[in-house]
Every structure is written in structure tokens, then in C-alpha cells.
Amino acid sequence: MVLALLFALGVANFAVHKAVLESEHPMLDVLPGLFRRGGGRMSLLFEFVVLLSAMIMTENGWPGAAVLYAFYSLFNLVAGWLVLDERI
């Protein structure tokens, strides 16, 4: 059940991440070129690695990884909302 929740949070993170990348917000200009090239593929790969790591650690008996990923997701979703709503 926890893995399904992590997966759902991961889908939400990917959706917000991609929306922020496509928003062309001026803040994105300060990102290193590696993360901006190819439509942000490297930053999406990083997002995948974080999700996969959290899922593997949770499955191997580290429930704290799920809690940390939930906080990470909350932060991402709030930050994405602030960028997409042009509050920052």
C-alpha cells in the first residue's frame, strides 16, 4: 500500500515538474545547461532516481524513506504551484 502511495506521489511530482519546465519561467534560466537541455530530461531522470530510491528503501524496511519522499513531494507540489500560479 505504501508503494502505491509513493507511486502516486511520483506521478504527481512528474506532472508538476514537467509543467514547470514547460512554463518557461525566468527562474529556469539559472539552472545548469545540463538540466535544461532536451526539455529537462536530466532533471526528470533525477526525479525518477529519487522516486526509485525511495521505493526501494521503503520496500527494504526503511519506512522513513517514504516519509521523507512524502515531504519532498509536498515541497515540490507547493513550489510548482507557486511557480505555475506566478506567485514567485
Side-chain angles (χ1 to χ4, degrees), residues 63-81:
V67 174
L68 288 175
Y69 191 76
F71 281 119
Y72 169 78
S73 296
L74 179 65
F75 174 77
N76 273 348
L77 297 174
V78 169
W81 171 71

Side-chain angles (χ1 to χ4, degrees), residues 29-52:
D29 293 337
V30 299
L31 286 176
L34 178 67
F35 286 104
R36 286 181 294 171
R37 272 185 246 134
R41 284 192 186 112
M42 289 301 287
S43 61
L44 290 171
L45 177 65
F46 175 77
E47 191 76 50
F48 173 74
V49 169
V50 172
L51 171 61
L52 185 63

